Amino acid sequence: MTRRHVALRAYDGAAAGLFSVAVMAAMAGCTADGTADGKDGNGATSRAPAASPAPAASTTAPSAVSLVPQLDESKQPKTAAEARELLARILITEDAFGPGVVRSTPFESSSGRWPVLDEGCVWQTAGLPQDVLATNTRYFQIPAADGHGRVRLNATVTVHRDRLESGWETARAMEEVLRCPDQKLREGEQLKGLLGNAMYQGEQLNNWSEDAFNEIGTYVSEQDGGPHRYFWYQAQFGPVTVAIAGKGAEGFKDETLTQLVVQGNSRMIAQAKQALGKAAG
């Protein structure tokens, strides 16, 4: 099965299509450095509510100049140590999201571990697969205040050995949504009704990454309640994938959650392109 076949199967109807339009609109307002157009690093663009009717998105990008530079293969890390150094240059801290976002405890994932969705749709951890040089996840939150509950944000960067393997990571993510629309994160914490959508470079207005994938659903937690909005957005450049997960809360607007996820992701993909792309000219 090719990645193209997987991508076509993963496009799951009108809901995912409307969700894709929202992401495109938000990303279109970001500048090359990952900040919102016309605002400082704390700004963000908005999206239309996911439930609102909207026209179908075009499957081809407009004639705008691509924001994806050519990969400089000489800059690709070849060892785990080089990959970890690259991770440190790409992963964001709380300032990428703006005011109100703080670090969670623990702040970073365990080194050398990899999430695996088992046959029962339960997430487990295992050692790094052969194609992964390094990966890390950082955890953030917006504490409960001003009439809303606690909001959770995760930022993940993974460095593969080459571009082919990073592309297959995206394909596997799409297959997981098809196989398991309901997933158990850990005891007392679940994702429900996940829908996924793939966007190759040049498709659905994607002119900022080589490949992108997003999923939307609901998040339920014994600790945080629910169901709340869940939003995952992943992008690829060369051997690197970057992703942000957002878990909403009672009283917290879906539009604001989307802004935070897109803002964080656009900052990391911009830093990946800066680190690995060929210089213009």
Side-chain angles (χ1 to χ4, degrees):
M1 179 181 293
T2 65
R3 285 179 58 212
R4 169 65 55 183
H5 186 196
V6 174
L8 291 173
R9 290 174 58 229
Y11 190 85
D12 199 347
L18 293 175
F19 178 52
S20 173
V21 171
V23 174
M24 300 307 107
M27 289 299 294
C30 289
T31 61
D33 65 355
T35 62
D37 189 16
K39 299 181 181 179
D40 62 18
N42 293 332
T45 56
S46 62
R47 68 170 178 91
S52 300
S58 169
T59 57
T60 59
S63 58
V65 176
S66 172
L67 300 177
V68 182
Q70 187 175 355
L71 176 67
D72 188 339
E73 295 187 3
S74 68
K75 296 179 180 179
Q76 290 187 134
K78 297 177 177 59
T79 67
E82 291 175 349
R84 288 192 293 269
E85 190 276 335
L86 179 62
L87 279 179
R89 296 167 62 187
I90 297 175
L91 261 174
I92 54 176
T93 56
E94 60 275 18
D95 64 330
F97 296 107
V101 177
V102 299
R103 300 184 181 192
S104 296
T105 303
F107 174 52
E108 294 188 316
S109 60
S110 300
S111 177
R113 303 298 292 174
W114 179 257
V116 176
L117 188 64
D118 68 19
E119 292 302 314
C121 299
V122 179
W123 284 99
Q124 311 285 352
T125 58
L128 294 182
Q130 188 65 30
D131 63 286
V132 174
L133 287 172
T135 188
N136 196 10
T137 297
R138 288 178 175 172
Y139 304 99
F140 308 91
Q141 62 176 299
I142 302 175
D146 301 324
H148 67 75
R150 177 175 56 178
V151 176
R152 298 177 184 266
L153 297 161
N154 301 347
T156 300
V157 176
T158 300
V159 181
H160 293 263
R161 295 186 182 275
D162 55 44
R163 172 189 274 150
L164 178 63
E165 297 297 345
S166 62
W168 272 109
E169 180 195 331
T170 303
R172 286 189 291 267
M174 293 185 282
E175 287 185 311
E176 287 166 350
V177 170
L178 290 168
R179 178 169 64 89
C180 296
D182 297 339
Q183 301 173 7
K184 182 177 179 180
L185 298 176
R186 56 186 60 83
E187 196 62 40
E189 195 171 353
Q190 293 182 308
L191 302 177
K192 299 282 190 179
L194 294 175
L195 297 173
N197 184 34
M199 299 161 287
Y200 285 85
Q201 183 179 354
E203 294 180 343
Q204 300 181 56
L205 310 184
N206 176 12
N207 69 339
W208 70 88
S209 67
E210 293 179 351
D211 199 357
F213 171 70
N214 54 54
E215 63 186 32
I216 187 171
T218 56
Y219 165 69
V220 180
S221 164
E222 290 181 357
Q223 188 174 24
D224 296 325
H228 305 307
R229 174 60 64 214
Y230 172 78
F231 182 13
W232 168 276
Y233 187 67
Q234 178 172 316
Q236 174 205 347
F237 178 69
V240 174
T241 61
V242 301
I244 300 284
K247 302 170 184 174
E250 184 72 26
F252 197 84
K253 292 183 178 179
D254 290 354
E255 291 86 350
T256 305
L257 183 66
T258 306
Q259 292 167 6
L260 291 167
V261 170
V262 171
Q263 178 82 5
N265 190 283
S266 61
R267 180 73 65 87
M268 291 198 297
I269 197 66
Q271 291 172 173
K273 289 185 287 190
Q274 184 178 29
L276 296 175
K278 286 187 176 181

